Amino acid sequence: MIDKSKVTDDNNISFNISYALDEGEFLRRECPSCGLQFKTQVSPAQLTGLITPAIQKIYNETHNIENDQAEQLTSEVMTCPYCGQENSASAFFTQEFNDYILRWASREIVFPALENFQNTISQMYSGSKSNSKDFFSLTMKVEKSENYKPIRPISGPEVPDMRIVNLLCSNEKIKIYENWGETLFCPVCANKVLLT
Amino acid sequence: MVQSRKSAIGSMQKYRELRDALLFEDDSESAHHLSRFMNFIDSDDFLQSVIGSVVTSDSFDFETWHNSTAERASQLQGVQALTFPDNNSDEMFIRYSLMKRFNNEKNGIFDFGVLIGDYKETVPRFKSLIVRPFVSELGDMLEDAVGFARTEERDLQAVPLNRIPSEKENRIFLSHKTVDKPLVETYFKALEKIGYYPWMDEPEMPAGTNLERALLAGFQTSCAAVFFVTENFKDEKFLSTEIDYAVREKREKGNRFAIVTLLLGKKVKVPPLLANYVYKNVTNDLEGFYEIVRALPIEVGPLRWKKEVIESES
């Protein structure tokens, strides 16, 4: 939920969102170039850093706020371990992850904003207006429709379909397909590595 | 074991696909997705192995719960009529039974509105109050089940290519006086056993070999030279040549070549040309072995079971 009292003066928001990682706290990624998937280890702080710009962007667009700084996606760059293509870290989100963020935002940001808008319209345009001098009078009643909040998104269970690789070049761990061959690119430093 | 894990993974992927369709696709298609989801739960071996005992429970009387909920709904219309037992399994059983009933009955999910006496937003309420908690709990159960099914596997190591020495630069040259060969052979076997490639004149220089060329080749393919200085060691003839070669390799290869001198004996002194490099007085072979391994510029790989251990089990 967004705690509105925590919207700062420059319209940055704070929020609580959780996403299921697998055992060992690995997040599934997908290469935008070759479409193959792998996993990287993320701390809660890193996950927050990845999610925040996307959430902020949706909030700003919903509330018609311009705040380019807060929306700026992470400058962190990542390399696909399979094809070696480099891209921004946020480009490696899976469709499931993106869907989860959108569904969460739909429920926690967009829906409350729509409710608010409906309330405003309802208050503005309900009632009757007439002019005793005129032939016509107008009575309008606006009823706000009861909308059910979108269902809370669900993540996981994370499928254990990969194995861990310890990258000696960057001291990081990733997970790759179990039947992958001998060489990889390190997602962190882009070094070509050999599996042993 | 590998096959059952593979099929479990396939089941989990299918489960997620059907679950998300049921929860997030358009409400007008819910009956269709509910049918697919329930058919899958009831027929998939892996899911049945996880949830079978819960959904076929004899201990909880669903019909009594259903009737008392309907009665309560006649007074407290809406979701207030919906209460669940404290027991997790019973709660799951109720949710499953409701989903199964609504899947089988003519009016489908809309019977949920009948049950709680409130027909507003029946489908989203059904998804939110019945389906979502059920699939969330089931997801946790599946994750635990696959975790147990998983065989213990060693993590892989990924070594950057620039850290892998070639076969032409990974030897360890063992320099010694011939009379000290039995001592040095002990070190040779130990280094070989743990994965290094030590170089010694025997077996590297069989009869008829050009000694000078063989020595030079030995150094050129090495990443380290170990000098075993005993009271027998003298900086002359072949040993003198070996010291010169070692120093030359060190100048050319820098940190990728180590010179280690072991002083074995109280009265021995380090040869002058080797004084600028690592040398250690050692009192026993274990100490000497440790000093060699510590000084080497290469390291051996990850642990694994010996081949004969695995073969003895098959």
Side-chain angles (χ1 to χ4, degrees), chain B residues 202-233:
Chain B
E202 286 175 23
E204 300 294 339
M205 299 197 301
T209 308
N210 182 307
L211 297 179
E212 290 285 350
R213 288 187 187 277
L215 277 180
L216 180 60
F219 272 98
Q220 285 174 337
T221 57
S222 289
C223 64
V226 182
F227 291 91
F228 293 85
V229 178
T230 67
E231 287 168 3
N232 304 311
F233 190 97

Side-chain angles (χ1 to χ4, degrees), chain A residues 19-177:
Chain A
Y19 189 80
L21 303 174
D22 79 353
E23 53 170 3
E25 295 187 342
F26 285 85
L27 175 69
R28 189 175 290 263
R29 308 291 203 134
E30 184 172 305
C31 175
S33 180
C34 67
L36 296 177
Q37 294 186 340
F38 58 101
K39 295 184 187 181
T40 59
Q41 221 169 12
V42 289
S43 66
Q46 285 170 323
L47 192 57
T48 302
L50 288 171
I51 291 174
T52 297
I55 299 287
Q56 186 72 56
K57 187 169 186 229
I58 295 171
Y59 180 82
N60 291 347
E61 284 176 2
T62 307
H63 293 80
N64 208 28
I65 297 165
E66 282 188 26
N67 188 349
D68 293 341
Q69 191 181 8
E71 290 177 21
Q72 208 166 7
L73 294 173
T74 176
S75 59
E76 185 190 335
V77 168
M78 188 171 276
T79 301
C80 173
Y82 305 113
C83 69
Q85 281 296 310
E86 204 175 85
N87 214 317
S88 125
S90 54
F92 285 87
F93 290 154
T94 61
Q95 188 58 49
E96 277 168 339
F97 186 81
N98 286 329
D99 287 345
Y100 182 88
I101 298 299
L102 283 173
R103 285 172 187 149
W104 184 92
S106 173
R107 176 183 165 90
E108 304 296 347
I109 299 176
V110 178
F111 182 81
L114 274 175
E115 288 272 288
N116 212 28
F117 176 72
Q118 282 195 355
N119 284 335
T120 305
I121 295 291
S122 176
Q123 285 161 16
M124 276 174 65
Y125 290 103
S126 281
S128 57
K129 294 202 185 282
S130 66
N131 188 327
S132 59
K133 293 182 184 175
D134 291 338
F135 184 66
F136 294 104
S137 66
L138 178 67
T139 302
M140 188 160 69
K141 187 179 178 185
V142 176
E143 282 184 4
K144 179 176 154 311
S145 62
E146 293 291 329
N147 295 318
Y148 204 77
K149 203 170 188 181
I151 194 165
R152 195 156 49 95
I154 191 168
S155 62
E158 188 49 47
V159 179
D161 55 348
M162 300 187 182
R163 68 188 306 172
I164 294 176
V165 173
N166 292 300
L167 297 160
L168 296 188
C169 45
S170 57
N171 280 328
E172 296 282 344
K173 288 186 183 187
I174 63 169
K175 286 190 179 180
I176 60 169
Y177 292 126

